[in-house]
């Protein structure tokens, strides 16, 4: 049973606490007891999304670490009337009692009890608690000032009832059931007593508190990392570079471990680090619920917290400095409260692409070369001075699906993809031009080597500036060319006099790289190594990583669209129906056409021909668009719902027939359980075809779908299928001498293959399947959690680099035949149990639709694509994101644990119990899966889920199912705790337990409010009230997502 630390304050339910006693959010009690967050999280744990808003203005303000001070000063310099806060202070100060003065001082980042940095992390974590307490207090005063004392008191009544419910065991402690029921009833009654407008205001309050708590936690991650590095440098690494910390999931810790514990040589580690590559694919999955304008304010709050840390580190902070920062913090929270939390329309695909990839411009453009500089120093420090990172090393590559993923999204047309590719070129050329301009401004040197002098002539006084000037002009022309091409796409033509020839611009990164290497070499030849390894080196490394396209686009489409197109072509040509042919006939015909020198069909045959449907024309036009793209614009062609070898051959043929000179690599995506189980046979067939093998040059990529397979068969069964499939595919590839790369299609939630512990997740993959090449999706809120701030981005890059290197050289347990047999048994039991509920029980769909906000999620306007691939389909056609999103909102988290408990319980009660316990202890991959389920159970709350059911489910049979599901949840909790030998959830993860302990009451309140909102909304007949309730619902969704740390 999950145990929580109790607060010492006695609470009386039903009465709002006084203003002076409560001090709004972020406090445990009114007498100076525990307040705010107990601790922080490690990287990737229990955090919500972080997005850098208005990136363009952020660029001007200085969003990267090196001009962060300018950003902070800019925000501090804005003069805002703070009279409202003075009024609130007066109200608190006029209230007698010992808490009055504490309430005032709570609204500062410089609380007198705040400790200075020390060697004790518990003391350091007090800074986080103080930050959250200060911001919670400010938020409370903001609510009172702008929305009134009455609603503030009602919010506090709800919050105190939630805390009392948690203190009484939250329904998990039978000895306190009466107190628990009383507290829960108080929460429910308080929510029911609120007007629709008050429901909206209360939902806003809890959503904003979770958001500012996230901002503080994000900042505290960097604070802890900096502190650990400083302590290491002082105590152990006095003579070391200490560029990257000694953590077990950092390159600074992994490299020494591999040398000392795994008996690796420096050369082996070096070879791995300089040849491995992590490719992060940013996707348009709609899971970021926070508006950019609010997340920009959250970002500025983090910069203010950093500024406060810097001032405290100096030892003396003046009254003026304190006031400046405190007022700036209040200003952000004040403006945050007055902002609209909701997207009022769905973004276009172009807007979605720009929004999603701006993190590259504003963060990664600076963070990546800075990380590589640290990695270079760490390699020399640990391996030897001769082991330097090569000049053009590219251990990371950034790609994107935004603007190329047309699977089930009719808004992604060929012209949209053309636009996004051109926009990416404009943005890349702009960044490169700006950097070259800066470099030219710095290089006033008058001497160079003979090679560069020959290019600029003897008259050039500043040879490097003379050399760079035409390069800068050429990049300016590149921008202009792309803008004109964009105008062509939009309007269909461009005046002849504006046309720029492609010979006048940069089209490939090699063109620009060759010229930059001449400059770099000249600097080194003339003794200017230090200058060469500054901004020039950063430029070269960015060019290696991002090229002239910023991030290459994948194209994705479902296999049925290609079948439909080929079926129309064969019918038009009088060859019969491709769709009716068996697999052998399809393969024979496709191979024949691939080797034929005549075209299959000309564009003029189908473009204006009514014989071809609009969807077929769109598919064929997509391949025509691919043929037009210049090098590096596009990356891979991913086939979703791939089931056969003919699915892959079809895409290759359509590319070749459209005139694609260098066909994109074709990547089959195996998603469902059946597809995963048949993947090895499919690839065996493909690799045995001479016509196909001749096209792939000994390399291939396969995508593993984590989301849909888990939705299809349950998490445990899907995990085992993914593991075995990767093993089997690796064997097939080895047999045919194919270099196979796996593309891992993971989401943010555990139910979609996510794992907040990235390092452990990578090491849990089947051995011999990564081999230094790791391609993975990063989507929605995870992009900004991992890369939304320079420090977090560098930490994420460090973890990925360390994990891929460690995975290659660390000996890990492999499943024995006994373990495999046991996993097959577990998989079979869990899959049957999962499908028995989700697929076979006729009560399930009505229950799901009524007990969760699934139907309402489409109104969030957070993505351009529909929630379903098939608008008229049922749960089976629902995408994995809203499927997980809906269950996360109600704290049920059903997709992650359903089926696990039945399987574990049955085996534990059999003769295989000891084998199962041994497997959990000794096999890291299995233990990681079970530990993830345990973490999700810790974040689940059956009592909250039951409340949704009581308010929203009317069908008696559906209610019976709900009761059954909760009993299965209880059994799963018991089984998982038994297997893990734990008394309470995540008892070895102190940080997670503390964060949940603090956050739960706030998320509980959001849940209670959301259930009441849904109840009213589904029975509302008043248009004005319905609009208010819809806003309240969407805000509550955001609040719960912020509190839970993820969405879909």
């Amino acid at each position: 049973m999950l145990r929580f630390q109790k607060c010492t304050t006695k609470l009386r339910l039903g009465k709002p606490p006084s203003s002076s006693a409560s001090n709004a959010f972020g406090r445990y009690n009114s007498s100076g007891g525990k307040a705010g967050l107990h601790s922080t999280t490690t990287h990737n744990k229990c955090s919500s999304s972080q997005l850098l808003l208005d990136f363009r203005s952020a660029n001007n303000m200085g969003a990267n670490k090196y001009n962060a001070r300018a950003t902070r000063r800019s925000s501090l310099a804005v003069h805002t009337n703070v009279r409202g806060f003075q009024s609130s202070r007066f109200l608190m100060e006029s209230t007698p009692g010992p808490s009055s003065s504490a309430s005032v001082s709570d609204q500062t980042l410089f609380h007198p009890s705040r400790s200075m940095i020390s060697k004790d992390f518990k003391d350091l974590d007090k800074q986080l608690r103080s930050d959250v307490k200060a911001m919670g207090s400010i938020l409370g005063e903001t609510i009172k000032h702008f929305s009134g004392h009455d609603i503030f008191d009602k919010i506090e009544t709800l919050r105190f009832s939630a805390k009392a419910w948690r203190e009484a065991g939250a329904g998990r402690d039978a000895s306190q059931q009466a107190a628990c029921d009383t507290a829960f009833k108080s929460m429910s009654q308080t929510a029911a007593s609120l007007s629709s407008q008050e429901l909206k205001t209360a939902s806003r309050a809890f959503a904003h508190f979770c958001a500012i708590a996230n901002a503080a936690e994000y900042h505290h991650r960097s604070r802890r990392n900096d502190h650990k590095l400083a302590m290491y440098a002082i105590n152990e690494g006095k003579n070391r570079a200490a560029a990257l910390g000694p953590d077990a999931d950092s390159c600074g810790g992994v490299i020494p471990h591999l040398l000392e514990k795994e008996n690796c040589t420096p050369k082996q580690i070096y070879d791995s680090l300089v040849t491995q590559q992590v490719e992060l694919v940013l996707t348009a999955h709609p899971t970021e619920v926070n508006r950019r304008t609010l997340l920009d304010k959250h970002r500025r709050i983090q910069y203010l917290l950093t500024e406060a840390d810097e001032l405290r580190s100096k030892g003396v902070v003046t009254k003026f400095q304190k006031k400046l920062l405190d007022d700036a913090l209040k200003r952000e929270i004040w403006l945050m409260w007055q902002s609209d939390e909701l997207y009022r329309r769905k973004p276009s695909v172009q807007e979605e692409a720009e929004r999603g990839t701006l993190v590259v411009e504003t963060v990664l453009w600076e963070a990546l070369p800075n990380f590589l500089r640290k990695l270079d120093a760490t390699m020399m420090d640990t391996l030897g001075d001769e082991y330097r990172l090569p000049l053009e090393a590219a251990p990371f590559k950034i790609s994107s699906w935004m603007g190329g993923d047309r699977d089930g999204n009719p808004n992604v047309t060929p012209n949209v993809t053309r636009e996004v590719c051109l926009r990416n070129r404009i943005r890349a050329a702009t960044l490169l031009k700006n950097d070259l301009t800066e470099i030219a401004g710095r290089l006033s040197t008058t001497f160079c080597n003979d090679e560069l002098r020959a290019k600029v002539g003897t008259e050039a006084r500043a040879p490097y500036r003379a050399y760079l000037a035409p390069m800068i002009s050429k990049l300016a022309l590149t921008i202009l060319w792309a803008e004109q091409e964009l105008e062509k796409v939009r309007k269909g033509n461009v005046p002849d006099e504006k046309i720029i020839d492609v010979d006048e611009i940069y089209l490939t990164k090699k063109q620009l790289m060759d010229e930059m290497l001449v400059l770099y070499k000249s600097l080194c030849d003339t003794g200017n190594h230090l200058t060469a390894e500054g901004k020039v080196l950063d430029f070269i490394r960015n060019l290696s990583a991002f090229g002239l396209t910023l991030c290459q686009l994948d194209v994705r489409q479902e296999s049925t669209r290609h079948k439909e197109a080929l079926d129309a072509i064969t019918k038009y040509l009088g060859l019969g129906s491709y769709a009716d042919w068996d697999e052998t006939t399809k393969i024979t015909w496709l191979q024949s056409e691939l080797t034929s020198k005549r075209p299959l069909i000309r564009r003029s045959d189908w473009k204006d021909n009514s014989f071809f449907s609009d969807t077929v024309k769109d598919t064929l036009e997509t391949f025509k668009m691919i043929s037009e793209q210049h090098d590096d614009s596009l990356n891979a062609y991913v086939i979703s719902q791939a089931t056969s070898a003919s699915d892959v051959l079809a895409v290759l043929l359509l590319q070749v027939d459209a005139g694609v000179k260098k066909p994109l690599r074709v990547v089959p995506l195996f998603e469902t359980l059946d597809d995963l189980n048949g993947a090895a046979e499919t690839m065996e067939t493909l690799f045995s075809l001479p016509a196909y093998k001749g096209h792939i040059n000994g390399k291939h990529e396969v995508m593993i779908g984590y989301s849909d397979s888990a939705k299809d068969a349950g998490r445990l069964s899907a995990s085992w299928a993914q593991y075995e499939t990767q093993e089997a595919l690796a064997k097939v590839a080895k047999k045919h001498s194919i270099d196979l790369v796996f593309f891992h299609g993971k989401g943010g939630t555990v139910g979609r293959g996510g794992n907040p512990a990235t390092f452990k997740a990578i090491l849990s993959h089947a051995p011999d399947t990564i081999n230094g090449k790791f391609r993975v999706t990063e989507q929605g809120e995870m992009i900004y959690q991992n890369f939304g701030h320079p420090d977090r981005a560098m930490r994420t890059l460090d973890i990925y680099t360390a994990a891929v290197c460690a995975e290659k050289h660390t000996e890990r347990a492999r499943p024995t035949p006994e373990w495999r047999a046991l996993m097959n048994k577990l998989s079979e039991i869990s899959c049957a149990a999962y499908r028995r509920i989700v697929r076979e029980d006729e009560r399930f769909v009505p229950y799901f639709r009524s007990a969760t906000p699934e139907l309402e999620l489409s109104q969030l306007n957070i993505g351009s694509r529909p929630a379903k691939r098939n608008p008229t389909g049922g749960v089976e056609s629902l995408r994995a994101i809203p499927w997980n999103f809906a269950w996360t909102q109600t704290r049920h988290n059903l997709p992650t644990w359903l089926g696990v408990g039945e399987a574990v319980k049955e085996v534990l009660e059999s003769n295989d119990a000891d084998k199962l316990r041994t497997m959990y202890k000794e096999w890291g991959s299995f233990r990681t899966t079970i530990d993830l389920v345990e973490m999700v159970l810790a974040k689940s709350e059956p009592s909250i889920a039951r409340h949704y059911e009581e308010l929203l489910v009317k069908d008696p049979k559906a209610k019976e199912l709900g009761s059954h599901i909760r009993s299965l949840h209880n059994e799963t909790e018991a089984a998982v705790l038994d297997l893990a030998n734990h008394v309470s959830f995540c008892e070895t993860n102190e940080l997670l337990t503390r964060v949940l302990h603090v956050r739960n009451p706030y998320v509980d309140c959001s849940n209670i409010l959301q259930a009441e909102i849904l109840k009213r909304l589904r029975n509302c007949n008043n248009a004005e009230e319905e609009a208010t309730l819809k806003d309240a619902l969407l805000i509550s969704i955001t609040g719960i997502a912020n509190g839970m740390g993820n969405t879909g």
Side-chain angles (χ1 to χ4, degrees):
M1 182 176 295
L2 187 58
R3 296 177 179 176
F4 297 102
Q5 178 181 349
K6 294 184 179 180
C7 298
T8 58
T9 302
K10 302 283 187 180
L11 298 177
R12 289 185 298 170
L13 302 178
K15 290 186 178 181
S18 67
S19 299
S20 61
S22 64
N23 198 18
F25 295 81
R27 298 191 60 178
Y28 274 121
N29 57 61
S30 60
S31 57
K34 294 186 180 294
L37 293 173
H38 270 288
S39 184
T40 185
T41 57
T42 55
H43 188 74
N44 276 346
K45 287 186 179 176
C46 281
S47 298
S48 177
S49 17
Q50 161 74 25
L51 174 60
L52 298 173
L53 165 74
D54 202 351
F55 292 88
R56 284 179 175 160
S57 65
N59 252 349
N60 296 331
M61 294 170 62
N64 62 66
K65 185 164 185 173
Y66 297 97
N67 51 16
R69 291 193 178 190
T71 304
R72 294 191 287 268
R73 287 169 183 160
S74 174
S75 66
L76 292 175
V78 179
H79 294 288
T80 306
N81 189 335
V82 294
R83 186 175 299 168
F85 288 106
Q86 294 170 350
S87 174
S88 297
R89 284 186 187 132
F90 173 79
L91 287 168
M92 288 186 293
E93 288 169 352
S94 65
T95 306
S99 64
S100 299
S101 60
S103 297
V104 176
S105 62
D106 281 347
Q107 296 180 54
T108 176
L109 291 173
F110 302 93
H111 194 281
S113 66
R114 178 188 285 270
S115 62
M116 300 301 293
I117 291 179
S118 70
K119 296 181 180 180
D120 191 338
F121 274 104
K122 291 183 179 179
D123 284 345
L124 184 68
D125 291 342
K126 289 180 182 178
Q127 297 183 16
L128 172 62
R129 297 198 293 274
S130 180
D131 288 342
V132 174
K133 183 175 182 179
M135 292 192 292
S137 298
I138 294 170
L139 177 59
E141 292 307 306
T142 304
I143 295 169
K144 283 193 287 187
H145 176 64
F146 287 105
S147 301
H149 284 257
D150 184 52
I151 184 59
F152 172 79
D153 288 341
K154 291 176 180 179
I155 291 168
E156 284 293 85
T157 296
L158 186 60
R159 184 176 70 91
F160 271 67
S161 297
K163 292 184 66 62
W165 182 62
R166 283 288 168 181
E167 291 165 11
R172 299 170 187 268
D173 186 349
S175 67
Q176 299 191 74
Q177 193 61 48
C180 178
D181 292 344
T182 301
F184 198 92
K185 184 178 180 181
S186 175
M187 275 197 293
S188 179
Q189 289 178 340
T190 301
S193 71
L194 300 177
S195 68
S196 296
Q197 184 59 48
E198 287 174 330
L199 284 171
K200 179 179 176 180
T201 303
S203 297
R204 296 183 66 217
F206 291 109
H208 282 303
F209 176 79
C210 288
I212 58 177
N214 286 341
E217 287 177 20
Y218 289 145
H219 168 70
H220 196 61
R221 288 186 196 175
S222 299
R223 177 191 281 151
R224 284 177 64 92
N225 288 333
D226 290 345
H227 182 64
K228 282 189 285 187
L229 193 58
M231 291 300 101
Y232 169 69
I234 292 171
N235 298 324
E236 300 175 40
K238 295 179 180 178
N239 299 315
R240 310 299 295 268
L244 297 171
D247 291 347
D249 59 356
S250 167
C251 290
V254 163
I255 296 175
H257 172 81
L258 294 178
L259 290 169
E260 298 165 12
K261 303 296 183 182
E262 301 294 337
N263 298 317
C264 294
T265 66
K267 183 67 164 57
Q268 288 175 318
I269 299 172
Y270 173 79
D271 288 344
S272 294
L273 288 170
V274 300
T275 58
Q276 71 181 42
Q277 186 175 75
V278 174
E279 184 172 355
L280 304 171
V281 184
L282 311 180
T283 74
H285 291 76
T287 59
E288 174 54 79
V289 295
N290 293 283
R291 275 190 71 203
R292 287 167 54 188
T293 189
L294 289 174
L295 287 165
D296 185 51
K297 291 174 173 55
H298 304 161
R299 175 182 60 84
R300 287 199 293 268
I301 286 173
Q302 292 178 67
Y303 283 127
L304 291 171
L305 295 176
T306 301
E307 184 81 0
D309 281 351
E310 291 175 358
L311 285 176
R312 278 189 297 273
S313 69
K314 295 177 181 179
V316 178
V317 185
T318 68
K319 182 179 179 180
F320 174 76
Q321 290 172 321
K322 291 179 182 179
K323 185 178 186 304
L324 204 62
L325 277 175
D326 286 340
D327 284 353
L329 180 61
K330 292 171 184 176
R331 184 178 304 124
E332 294 299 338
I333 295 174
W334 190 345
L335 293 173
M336 191 170 68
W337 182 254
Q338 297 177 83
S339 301
D340 187 357
E341 293 89 351
L342 303 174
Y343 289 109
R344 295 298 172 179
R345 64 174 179 83
K346 281 185 175 294
S348 68
V349 176
Q350 295 92 324
E351 289 170 336
E352 191 173 54
E354 184 172 0
R355 181 186 301 168
T357 56
L358 279 174
V359 70
V360 177
E361 294 178 69
T362 58
V363 180
L364 287 172
W365 194 263
E366 295 285 346
L368 180 57
N370 289 337
F371 164 70
L372 294 180
R373 194 177 298 280
K374 290 183 177 183
L375 177 61
D376 189 29
T378 301
M379 289 169 62
M380 289 191 292
D381 188 49
T382 54
L383 301 176
D385 289 343
E386 66 273 28
Y387 294 109
R388 292 209 58 181
L389 196 63
L391 185 63
E392 298 175 62
F396 283 92
K397 179 179 178 180
I398 309 296
S399 300
S400 174
W401 277 11
M402 302 181 195
D405 181 8
R406 55 224 333 112
D407 174 19
N409 189 349
N411 300 311
V412 185
T413 64
N415 269 356
V416 164
T417 304
R418 290 182 175 104
E419 279 195 46
V420 173
C421 286
L422 288 167
R423 286 171 183 267
N424 285 347
R425 282 187 177 270
I426 291 169
R427 291 152 70 193
T430 300
L431 288 166
L432 292 166
K433 175 177 169 290
N434 292 342
D435 283 355
L436 277 191
T437 302
E438 183 181 346
I439 291 170
R442 295 181 181 186
L443 293 181
S444 55
T445 309
T446 58
F447 54 93
C448 61
N449 69 1
D450 292 341
E451 182 184 11
L452 193 140
R453 176 60 70 180
K455 293 180 180 294
V456 300
T458 57
E459 299 299 319
R461 186 176 65 168
Y464 292 106
R465 290 177 176 175
Y467 182 74
L468 287 170
M471 295 170 63
I472 294 169
S473 297
K474 196 170 182 179
L475 281 169
L477 276 179
T478 302
I479 296 168
L480 185 58
W481 166 83
E483 289 172 344
Q484 291 181 178
E485 291 296 308
L486 195 57
E487 188 177 350
K488 278 187 187 179
V489 172
R490 290 171 177 166
K491 298 182 179 179
N493 60 71
V494 62
D496 290 342
E497 64 270 15
K498 289 186 178 180
I499 293 177
I500 297 171
D501 194 275
V502 292
D503 293 335
E504 303 176 69
I505 66 171
Y506 291 112
L507 276 179
T508 67
K509 70 178 179 182
K510 185 179 185 305
Q511 295 171 308
L512 184 54
M513 181 65 80
D514 288 346
E515 293 177 355
M516 280 305 294
L517 291 178
V518 169
L519 185 148
Y520 181 88
K521 183 175 183 295
S522 176
L523 288 170
C524 293
D525 288 348
T526 55
N528 282 298
H529 295 83
L530 196 60
T531 302
E533 292 182 7
K535 191 70 177 177
V536 174
L537 178 59
D538 290 348
F539 183 97
I540 290 171
R541 285 180 169 162
N542 272 339
L543 185 59
S544 295
F546 305 113
L548 284 162
T549 57
L550 201 65
C551 48
Q552 293 177 300
L553 289 192
D554 280 4
V555 176
R556 184 171 77 135
Q557 184 58 280
E558 55 185 307
S559 60
T560 54
R561 290 289 295 269
H562 312 127
K563 292 175 185 175
E564 180 189 17
L566 288 175
D567 188 61
I569 291 171
T570 56
K571 286 178 179 177
Y572 177 76
L573 297 175
L575 300 175
S577 173
Y578 176 86
D580 292 340
W581 297 347
D582 61 26
E583 179 67 5
T584 302
T585 304
K586 288 177 181 176
I587 289 175
T588 301
W589 180 75
L590 290 166
Q591 283 197 97
S592 173
E593 291 298 325
L594 279 170
T595 56
S596 174
K597 295 191 180 298
R598 61 169 175 77
L600 178 61
I601 192 170
R602 293 179 174 83
R603 190 172 186 236
S604 58
D605 293 333
W606 56 263
K607 183 169 174 50
D608 298 314
N609 192 334
S610 60
F611 179 85
F612 296 90
S613 69
D614 289 342
T615 55
V616 168
K617 290 178 182 177
D618 179 81
T619 301
L620 296 176
E621 183 64 27
T622 296
F623 288 98
K624 177 66 171 65
M625 175 274 298
I626 293 172
S627 72
E628 300 166 356
Q629 298 306 306
H630 297 285
D631 287 355
D632 299 331
S633 288
L634 301 177
N635 197 11
Y637 195 113
V638 179
I639 312 170
S640 56
Q641 302 180 44
T643 60
S644 62
S646 63
D647 288 337
V648 179
L649 292 172
V651 171
L652 180 58
L653 174 60
L654 289 169
Q655 286 193 79
V656 171
D657 194 60
V660 181
K661 294 178 181 178
K662 298 178 181 178
L664 307 180
R665 64 185 187 275
V666 184
V667 182
L669 166 53
F670 299 109
E671 299 177 88
T672 67
L673 189 62
D674 289 342
D675 294 345
L676 288 169
N677 290 334
E681 183 180 349
T682 296
M683 299 312 297
E684 174 69 40
T685 300
L686 277 172
F687 293 157
S688 300
L689 300 175
Y692 183 72
K693 201 170 182 179
H695 273 278
I696 61 176
N697 297 319
K699 298 179 180 179
H700 209 282
E701 184 176 318
V702 169
M703 186 170 183
I704 303 298
Y706 290 74
S707 302
D708 286 292
S709 57
K711 177 172 170 281
D712 175 43
R715 183 72 169 88
L716 184 59
S717 185
S719 296
W720 179 232
Q722 292 150 10
Y723 190 97
E724 284 199 305
T725 296
Q726 290 174 62
E727 283 187 317
L729 287 170
K731 289 179 182 177
V732 170
K734 185 176 181 180
K735 171 185 172 183
H736 291 275
S737 301
I738 301 294
D739 182 9
L740 185 65
V741 174
F742 287 103
F743 181 11
H744 304 277
K746 300 184 178 186
T749 57
V750 175
R752 297 185 55 238
N755 187 335
T758 301
F759 187 87
K760 289 183 179 179
I762 290 176
L763 265 67
S764 71
H765 281 270
D768 305 321
T769 60
I770 293 180
N771 301 318
K773 305 294 181 183
F774 192 72
R775 194 169 196 245
V776 65
T777 54
E778 287 278 0
Q779 54 193 250
E781 80 276 21
M782 302 312 298
I783 294 174
Y784 303 101
Q785 284 188 31
N786 293 333
F787 302 103
H789 188 277
D791 287 342
R792 288 205 308 279
M794 284 190 281
R795 179 71 177 118
T796 301
L797 297 174
D798 183 21
I799 291 172
Y800 270 119
T801 304
V804 172
C805 184
E807 190 278 335
K808 187 173 184 178
H809 296 290
T810 303
E811 189 62 35
R812 309 190 303 284
R814 297 171 185 259
T816 65
E818 281 187 334
W819 290 357
R820 289 182 183 277
L822 197 52
M823 278 305 304
N824 288 333
K825 182 178 179 179
L826 287 166
S827 176
E828 183 179 338
I829 297 169
S830 66
C831 182
Y834 178 89
R835 288 178 171 175
R836 192 159 50 242
I837 297 291
V838 174
R839 288 191 173 189
E840 300 168 14
D841 197 312
E842 62 181 11
R843 302 170 295 176
F844 181 76
V845 172
Y847 178 79
F848 172 58
R849 290 273 158 80
S850 57
T852 74
E854 182 261 325
L855 293 173
E856 291 82 5
L857 287 174
S858 61
Q859 300 173 30
L860 267 175
N861 293 328
I862 58 175
S864 67
R865 70 180 187 175
K868 291 183 177 181
R869 288 189 171 97
N870 176 7
T872 60
V875 172
E876 74 284 349
S877 69
L878 189 68
R879 291 185 182 274
I881 289 173
W883 167 251
N884 283 276
F885 203 153
W887 291 112
T888 302
Q889 283 287 302
T890 64
R891 311 283 285 283
H892 229 321
N893 294 311
L894 177 141
T896 300
W897 59 261
L898 186 60
V900 176
E902 291 94 320
V904 172
K905 180 183 178 183
E906 183 171 328
V907 174
L908 285 176
E909 292 175 351
S910 72
N911 294 331
D912 292 325
D914 289 341
K915 292 180 186 176
L916 183 62
R917 296 187 190 280
T918 300
M919 190 165 77
Y920 174 80
K921 292 177 182 178
E922 298 181 4
W923 185 21
S925 296
F926 177 66
R927 184 172 59 255
T928 295
T929 298
I930 296 299
D931 288 350
L932 283 172
V933 173
E934 182 183 358
M935 182 197 73
V936 170
L937 289 171
K939 297 171 75 172
S940 303
E941 198 51 68
S943 296
I944 295 289
R946 183 182 63 206
H947 183 64
Y948 278 82
E949 177 189 312
E950 290 172 347
L951 289 188
L952 304 173
V953 180
K954 298 178 181 178
D955 185 351
K957 292 184 178 179
K959 285 191 173 184
E960 289 176 3
L961 177 62
S963 178
H964 177 55
I965 289 174
R966 287 194 303 280
S967 69
L968 293 176
H969 186 281
N970 292 336
E971 291 176 7
T972 303
E973 287 184 344
V976 169
L977 288 174
D978 186 5
L979 178 58
N981 194 29
H982 289 168
V983 175
S984 60
F985 291 126
C986 302
E987 61 185 34
T988 58
N989 189 340
E990 183 181 358
L991 296 177
L992 175 60
T993 301
R994 288 177 176 175
V995 168
L996 290 178
H997 176 57
V998 173
R999 282 179 177 240
N1000 274 334
Y1002 296 92
V1003 185
D1004 295 341
C1005 291
S1006 294
N1007 283 122
I1008 297 299
L1009 291 167
Q1010 185 182 88
E1012 179 64 29
I1013 294 165
L1014 283 168
K1015 176 187 174 183
R1016 295 189 196 181
L1017 188 57
R1018 292 176 181 179
N1019 294 282
C1020 184
N1021 296 315
N1022 181 286
E1024 184 177 349
E1025 184 175 6
E1026 181 181 12
T1028 301
L1029 288 170
K1030 281 184 177 179
D1031 280 1
L1033 174 64
L1034 300 181
I1035 292 167
S1036 73
I1037 288 171
T1038 300
I1040 294 169
N1042 284 336
M1044 295 292 286
N1046 48 45
T1047 51

